[in-house]
Amino acid sequence: MSGAMWIKYVNEGISLLLLVGIGFILYRGLKKNQGYLSEREELLKRYLLFRGDIQVRLKVFGGDEQAYQELLKTLSESWKNFKKTYDHYLLSLAENTTKAKRWIMLLGFTLLMNSARLLIEEYYFFGIQPRFFYVGGRELSNYVLVLLSFFLLRAQTQGYLSSRGEPIKMEKEILFYSNSLSEIGEKEILYNEFSPLEEMGAEDGKKD
């Protein structure tokens, strides 16, 4: 086998290995992110069920001051534990996404340098000929995977991470309603329907 053929195989192999590396990082990043999002969703469901049970108990034991205070303490501690675990999942999501993007950028930059090398070689040995544009078009198609990787990561984390890659705080805040909803009329009905805590319990939730 001639030396020119070996060089051709090496050139093709470098691009292929870089693309395989980008694809592997993308797959692993998306899979880990999906795991964090699933765990976060399950945590939220479990906490809402737990909080609903506590609300029922607050209604049942409202006449027992000691039991009522113990339930409020449990509600306060549960919120702190929930918040800590919830933030951990979102922080892990942000860190994993940032790590995947950095690796993709690194391999994408290496792929860019390899493409530039191939184009320089083509220009040096053959000049501006149809072969030069063929190589350029072939190399350009490799970056579809790079762009697709960033798009998929962004689409998966949209609504959970900001454009800077920082966790967005949203669902935790809507678990508790402010006292402004406990007004006379329809707002009071909605408050009693979706947050049937006594005034004391609502204040405790707001402080947390």
Side-chain angles (χ1 to χ4, degrees):
M1 186 178 293
S2 64
M5 187 63 66
W6 274 112
I7 293 176
K8 181 178 180 181
Y9 282 138
V10 170
N11 289 338
E12 295 291 342
I14 292 175
S15 298
L16 180 60
L17 287 176
L18 290 173
L19 290 175
V20 170
I22 292 174
F24 174 75
I25 292 172
L26 174 63
Y27 170 77
R28 188 176 64 176
L30 292 175
K31 186 176 181 180
K32 282 188 175 182
N33 282 353
Q34 186 58 44
Y36 291 133
L37 292 176
S38 297
E39 291 172 354
R40 181 206 64 88
E41 183 177 354
E42 291 300 320
L43 173 70
L44 183 59
K45 290 179 180 179
R46 293 195 303 271
Y47 181 74
L48 290 176
L49 290 174
F50 171 81
R51 178 173 165 77
D53 180 69
I54 294 295
Q55 289 176 339
V56 172
R57 292 173 182 268
L58 285 172
K59 286 289 186 180
V60 174
F61 298 101
D64 189 336
E65 183 64 23
Q66 182 177 359
Y68 190 85
Q69 292 299 326
E70 287 295 327
L71 288 172
L72 290 180
K73 182 179 179 181
T74 301
L75 184 62
S76 176
E77 292 298 325
S78 69
W79 164 250
K80 295 176 182 178
N81 293 331
F82 164 76
K83 182 178 182 298
K84 180 179 178 180
T85 307
Y86 184 97
D87 289 342
H88 171 72
Y89 286 140
L90 287 187
L91 182 61
S92 298
L93 177 70
E95 291 177 347
N96 183 66
T97 302
T98 300
K99 183 179 179 181
K101 286 182 176 180
R102 286 177 178 175
W103 274 105
I104 292 174
M105 289 177 63
L106 177 61
L107 293 182
F109 179 76
T110 305
L111 184 64
L112 180 63
M113 293 296 98
N114 184 64
S115 298
R117 179 182 64 84
L118 293 177
L119 291 175
I120 292 173
E121 287 181 358
E122 288 294 328
Y123 177 78
Y124 181 79
F125 290 107
F126 304 101
I128 301 297
Q129 295 184 3
R131 178 184 173 85
F132 176 85
F133 296 102
Y134 168 77
V135 174
R138 184 189 62 190
E139 290 299 313
L140 187 62
S141 64
N142 293 335
Y143 299 94
V144 173
L145 179 59
V146 178
L147 297 177
L148 181 62
S149 299
F150 288 111
F151 173 78
L152 290 177
L153 287 172
R154 177 57 183 167
Q156 185 186 44
T157 58
Q158 189 174 10
Y160 307 102
L161 303 180
S162 66
S163 57
R164 297 182 178 180
E166 300 175 351
I168 297 177
K169 298 180 180 180
M170 39 188 308
E171 295 172 31
K172 295 179 297 184
E173 283 68 20
I174 66 174
L175 290 176
F176 301 96
Y177 293 90
S178 64
N179 290 334
S180 63
L181 294 178
S182 58
E183 298 174 356
I184 300 176
E186 296 183 358
K187 290 186 177 180
E188 183 177 0
I189 296 175
L190 291 175
Y191 184 86
N192 292 331
E193 178 181 358
F194 295 109
S195 185
L197 285 175
E198 303 242 353
E199 197 174 302
M200 191 172 185
E203 291 177 357
D204 181 80
K206 183 179 179 183
K207 289 180 181 179
D208 292 334

